[in-house]
Amino acid sequence: AFPEYCFVTRYLLVHLSLPGFRPSFGQSAICWSLLTITFCSLFPLCEAARSQFPISLGVYHVRLFAKAPVSGQEKVIKLNVWLKRISKDSGRHDAASAFLLPTQTDAVEGFAWADDINNLTNNKYGHYMTTVDVPTWKPLLRLQVWGSDLVVPANLHPALHAPGGNPLEPPWSHLRPFFFYFQLNTSPSVHCFKIYEESFPDTKAPFCLPTSSLDLCSRLAPDSSFTPSQPALWTVMLPFRSWGMNGSQWERYSQRVANRLQHAVTYLRSVGATGMLLYTERFSSHVLERYPGVQQMLQDGILIFVEWEHNERLQYNSDQALVYSHAMLGLSSCGTNLWVQATDVDELLYAPYGISWPKIFKCLSNSSGSDAPALFRFGRINIIASAVGADREAVLWYSAPSAVG
C-alpha cells in the first residue's frame, strides 16, 4: 500500500476597495500516490495526462514599477512585462535560422503594459486602455545578464500607425502594449537575466527563460505534417469570462462554456484548422477539464490550455490585446509552417466556395503576391440563420453537441 495525498484548492479573492479586480487562484485537484509518481516518471503512458496541463508558450511574466506621466502629473505605475528568449538554436533540427523571421536575431523579446493602480477598469469598448501619456512616455527597460555586469537597453518597436502613415490618436493609441527587444551578443545558452525600469533601478525581477522552442513548435506544427506552403492553423481564444457571476451560477455557466467550446473546436476542425489554444487561468481550466467532451479534446491534442493568470476585470474582453500579443510572442520562433488565427468564439472562419485550410491559405498567399510572412485581415460578416431564429441561437450554442456533430 502506498500513501496518497490529495489537495483541492480553488478560491476567488475580491477586496471591497477594488471590486473590478477579481484574481482567482489555487491549484487543480492533485491526487498522486508514490506508485503513480514512480510509474509516470519511468513510462510514457502518462503523456496523455501531461498533455492536459496548461502551457506557457515559453513566455515569462514579471511585474515592475516605473514613474510615468498620468493625466499631466508623474505617478508610480505598475508594469506587467512578458518576455521570451529568441535564439538561433531555438528552431527545429539545429536549423533554427531557417525558421526565424527575417527581422529576428538572438534576443529577448517582449511587451509591456502600464497600469495606473487608481484606475484599473479604464476601457474603451470593453478593452483595456492605458492611462499613461503614450505619445510622450515609453518605458526605459534594462536587462542585466545573469552573473555579469552587462546591462542591455531595450529597443522599442516603432509605434503602430494608422492607415496613411499617421500616428494613432487617442483612444486607439492607448489600446496597444509597448513592444520591445533586447539585442544579445552572448552565448545562446545564456537564459537567466534580471530586468528593471530605469526610474526604479533598485527593484529588479530575476527570471530564466527556455532557450529552445523545439518541443513547443514540434507539438503544434511538426515538420512531418506541416510546411510553410501547407502550414498548421491554430486559433487563439480569449478566456471565457462572465464578470459578476456568483458561486451559485458557476456550475451552470461552466457547463454552457464547455458545450460552446466543443462546438467551436468541432467547427474549426471541420474547416481544416489544427486546433485551439484557449487562454485560461487555473480556476477555469480546473472547471472545464471535468467535462468528458473537454477531456477528450485535451487528450486528442486539438485543445490546449495556455496559462493566463492575468486578473479578471470589469469587462469580459478587457485583456484581448494582451492575449493576442502573448500568442504572437510565444509562437514567434516556430516559423512559417504555423499560422495563428486571432478571433472570438462567435467569429468563425468561413470560405464561401467550400474550400478548407490549407487551400484557404494558398488562396490568400496567391492574392498577396508574396511568400513572406504576412498578416491577413478578414472582414467580419454577420450571418442570419434561417434554420434557427435569433431567439433560439444562444440556446443552440449552449446545448450539448449531438453524437453526429
Side-chain angles (χ1 to χ4, degrees):
F2 292 93
E4 186 175 78
Y5 303 92
C6 296
F7 306 92
V8 182
T9 55
R10 192 65 50 187
Y11 306 98
L12 186 71
L13 183 64
V14 182
H15 195 280
L16 294 179
S17 65
L18 295 173
F21 192 67
R22 298 161 60 89
S24 59
F25 61 96
Q27 301 294 328
S28 301
I30 304 174
C31 298
W32 290 108
S33 67
L34 180 59
L35 177 61
T36 305
I37 294 175
T38 304
F39 184 80
C40 285
S41 65
L42 295 178
F43 297 92
L45 299 179
C46 292
E47 192 59 37
R50 291 195 188 99
S51 68
Q52 299 184 40
F53 297 157
I55 62 176
S56 67
L57 303 185
V59 178
Y60 191 79
H61 175 222
V62 301
R63 293 179 178 88
L64 300 173
F65 296 98
K67 295 177 182 178
V70 177
S71 301
Q73 64 180 19
E74 186 178 81
K75 297 184 67 174
V76 175
I77 62 168
K78 182 181 74 171
L79 278 176
N80 283 292
V81 183
W82 288 266
L83 302 147
K84 183 179 175 72
R85 181 78 159 94
I86 306 296
S87 62
K88 293 183 178 180
D89 63 348
S90 65
R92 306 177 182 86
H93 306 320
D94 297 322
S97 58
F99 294 94
L100 295 179
L101 301 182
T103 58
Q104 286 181 306
T105 57
D106 197 24
V108 170
E109 297 190 359
F111 65 96
W113 183 257
D115 262 329
D116 176 9
I117 199 69
N118 294 318
N119 193 358
L120 292 173
T121 57
N122 188 47
N123 69 87
K124 183 70 173 180
Y125 306 124
H127 301 282
Y128 281 167
M129 197 169 92
T130 187
T131 52
V132 299
D133 298 330
V134 175
T136 60
W137 181 84
K138 301 291 187 295
L140 299 177
L141 295 169
R142 301 291 182 261
L143 188 76
Q144 183 176 351
V145 179
W146 191 274
S148 117
D149 294 328
L150 179 63
V151 176
V152 183
N155 297 291
L156 285 169
H157 287 289
L160 191 66
H161 285 76
N166 299 316
L168 285 176
E169 299 292 335
W172 311 113
S173 59
H174 290 61
L175 294 171
R176 182 176 184 262
F178 297 102
F179 295 94
F180 60 86
Y181 65 95
F182 296 100
Q183 191 72 50
L184 298 179
N185 294 313
T186 60
S187 167
S189 63
V190 174
H191 63 285
C192 290
F193 311 89
K194 292 182 180 181
I195 187 172
Y196 62 93
E197 208 279 336
E198 195 172 70
S199 60
F200 273 80
D202 297 330
T203 305
K204 300 178 181 179
F207 64 96
C208 296
L209 297 170
T211 59
S212 174
S213 296
L214 175 61
D215 292 342
L216 171 67
C217 301
S218 297
R219 179 178 179 181
L220 299 180
D223 291 336
S224 58
S225 303
F226 301 100
T227 65
S229 61
Q230 292 189 320
L233 175 65
W234 285 86
T235 287
V236 174
M237 190 60 61
L238 298 166
F240 283 95
R241 289 171 172 167
S242 185
W243 191 93
M245 281 278 179
N246 61 44
S248 63
Q249 297 171 304
W250 280 346
E251 185 61 42
R252 178 169 177 260
Y253 179 73
S254 63
Q255 176 68 73
R256 288 184 167 188
V257 168
N259 290 339
R260 182 146 197 180
L261 187 57
Q262 283 187 259
H263 285 300
V265 174
T266 299
Y267 179 83
L268 286 170
R269 296 284 292 171
S270 73
V271 295
T274 310
M276 177 187 291
L277 299 173
L278 174 62
Y279 277 66
T280 176
E281 80 297 322
R282 295 184 185 94
F283 185 96
S284 297
S285 61
H286 170 70
V287 170
L288 290 173
E289 66 190 10
R290 296 178 304 154
Y291 297 102
V294 176
Q295 288 180 9
Q296 189 60 55
M297 292 188 294
L298 290 168
Q299 292 173 9
D300 292 342
I302 59 177
L303 173 66
I304 295 176
F305 291 151
V306 179
E307 297 173 359
W308 189 247
E309 299 302 332
H310 210 55
N311 295 297
E312 178 182 298
R313 301 197 188 182
L314 186 59
Q315 299 291 334
Y316 78 97
N317 60 343
S318 54
D319 49 359
Q320 189 174 68
L322 302 185
V323 167
Y324 294 153
S325 298
H326 183 281
M328 296 298 106
L329 177 63
L331 302 176
S332 60
S333 57
C334 283
T336 55
N337 63 342
L338 189 153
W339 279 71
V340 175
Q341 178 186 209
T343 185
D344 208 345
V345 70
D346 61 347
E347 298 168 348
L348 306 174
L349 182 65
Y350 174 72
Y353 302 107
I355 63 174
S356 60
W357 191 272
K359 291 182 178 179
I360 295 175
F361 173 75
K362 183 178 181 181
C363 177
L364 293 169
S365 299
N366 290 340
S367 64
S368 70
S370 172
D371 293 330
L375 172 68
F376 297 121
R377 182 178 179 182
F378 294 88
R380 187 172 70 176
I381 301 173
N382 294 327
I383 297 178
I384 300 176
S386 58
V388 179
D391 58 331
R392 295 285 300 168
E393 186 176 345
V395 176
L396 178 65
W397 278 113
Y398 290 134
S399 300
S402 65
V404 295

